[in-house]
Amino acid sequence: MNLSSKVVVAVLACFAVISASCGSDETGSATGSDNEPTVVVTTNILGDVVEQMVGDHVNVVTIMPVGADPHDFQASAQQVAQIGEAAAVIINGAGFEEALVDVLASAQADGTLVYEAISAVNTLEFATSHDEHDDDEHDDDEHDDDDEHDDEHDDDDPHFFADPARMAVAAQGIVDFLGANLDSIDLDAMQSSAADYIDQLELLDAEVAATLDTLAPDQRVLVTNHEVFGYFADRYDFEVVGTVIPGGSTTDGASAQALASLADIIRAEGVSAIFADTSSSSELAETLAGEVGDIEVVELFSESLGEDGSDGATYIDMVRANAERIAAALG
């Protein structure tokens, strides 16, 4: 081989390496090959669930990285393009992706298929404060009489994923949606792999219940960073007596008066732990703990998975870890 031929071979080899690197995804985790339809998922919790179920059959791209707060996450220009070009987009819904509402609405208006995972489950409305709950008992009755929730989920608590039983239902809804709308996939194979994972979610529900069996009824009292464990409480017979941030979003604030009132509730209820979020600041929870005294702050994986190698690296891991931390802190 002469010198000119060697140069041509070297250039072609370099071009192949560069082309391969340019084909990688820099803004979201992905799995699958280029000839598979791309499904974009907003949160990393749902991203893990979708990938575990159907990652061998579709290209799964997750927008929010580990540690992101879904309430204030802003998508990059490339991520906005990925959403608009996807074969389908899976979102949590009920306003959970607060800063992505306009982006998702625009993509849907342009013809992108968008599915709200929460649409498959029986939803709960946000709880009122402890005092208001005592004074307004008819709210629960009204909710029980209204099985149909409106399409916009205006009053719904979006944190259904705190309950693995509801997640199993939502997972089946996602598979049914993809099967009905993506023609290029092997439907039977996808449903089979999804069924295996949904079985794992149902086993996880039973495991969590067994873990929490060590707690007596009077120990099943929660104080959380914000209203994020309502579905968990509903599933496993807990009572959320107060939240550090009085609302369902970490973007809300808390007044000194509200914190003082919550400190009184904690003392009256004999609460032994305040549960903070791994994906948002625990400063207010630490301040409250300092005010109450003799109480620990325990972080839970509430709205984001943990880093690889942590005990919250997958959805199943995070639910299991949360149950174990709650049982240990309250027991």
Side-chain angles (χ1 to χ4, degrees), residues 53-78:
M53 287 197 300
V54 302
D56 292 336
H57 310 283
V58 300
N59 223 10
V60 180
V61 175
T62 301
I63 295 296
M64 298 184 192
V66 169
D69 184 339
H71 297 289
D72 61 11
F73 177 82
Q74 300 279 347
S76 68
Q78 185 174 355

Side-chain angles (χ1 to χ4, degrees), residues 42-296:
T42 51
T43 72
N44 56 63
I45 290 175
L46 279 176
D48 176 64
V49 171
V50 174
E51 187 168 328
Q52 296 294 333
M53 287 197 300
V54 302
D56 292 336
H57 310 283
V58 300
N59 223 10
V60 180
V61 175
T62 301
I63 295 296
M64 298 184 192
V66 169
D69 184 339
H71 297 289
D72 61 11
F73 177 82
Q74 300 279 347
S76 68
Q78 185 174 355
Q79 289 171 327
V80 171
Q82 286 177 319
I83 290 171
E85 295 167 1
V89 178
I90 308 299
I91 72 172
N92 187 94
F96 187 59
E97 299 94 336
E98 294 179 52
L100 294 180
V101 169
D102 291 341
V103 171
L104 295 168
S106 177
Q108 194 166 22
D110 289 339
T112 301
L113 295 174
V114 177
Y115 179 75
E116 292 190 2
I118 198 172
S119 65
V121 307
N122 292 324
T123 57
L124 301 174
E125 293 183 2
F126 276 119
T128 58
S129 71
H130 185 66
D131 291 335
E132 289 172 341
H133 179 74
D134 290 341
D135 294 335
D136 193 10
E137 296 178 353
H138 68 275
D139 284 349
D140 287 338
D141 294 334
E142 289 178 355
H143 182 69
D144 290 340
D145 293 338
D146 185 12
D147 293 333
E148 296 289 328
H149 54 272
D150 62 49
D151 291 337
E152 298 300 322
H153 309 295
D154 287 338
D155 298 322
D156 289 339
D157 180 346
H159 306 95
F160 75 91
F161 47 83
D163 172 9
R166 281 181 169 89
M167 179 60 90
V169 174
Q172 185 62 61
I174 291 170
V175 173
D176 291 343
F177 168 79
L178 294 178
N181 290 281
L182 302 182
D183 297 330
S184 58
I185 59 176
D186 184 334
L187 181 59
D188 290 339
M190 183 184 73
Q191 288 180 333
S192 177
S193 63
D196 290 341
Y197 182 73
I198 292 170
D199 286 345
Q200 293 180 51
L201 294 179
E202 292 170 349
L203 289 172
L204 175 65
D205 174 43
E207 179 186 341
V208 169
T211 298
L212 299 171
D213 273 347
T214 58
L215 297 177
D218 62 351
Q219 293 175 306
R220 296 179 179 236
V221 178
L222 298 176
V223 173
T224 59
N225 189 52
H226 68 294
E227 291 189 39
V228 67
F229 282 96
Y231 289 94
F232 176 92
D234 178 72
R235 181 65 180 172
Y236 302 112
D237 297 323
F238 280 73
E239 182 183 6
V240 181
V241 296
T243 59
V244 179
I245 300 173
S249 171
T250 55
T251 61
D252 296 332
S255 67
Q257 182 178 0
L259 289 176
S261 176
L262 181 54
D264 290 339
I265 292 172
I266 290 172
R267 295 187 187 99
E269 296 283 352
V271 177
S272 58
I274 300 169
F275 295 102
D277 305 321
T278 58
S279 57
S280 59
S281 172
S282 61
E283 183 178 356
L284 283 176
E286 297 286 356
T287 300
L288 178 62
E291 172 67 23
V292 174
D294 194 26
I295 187 171
E296 64 176 328

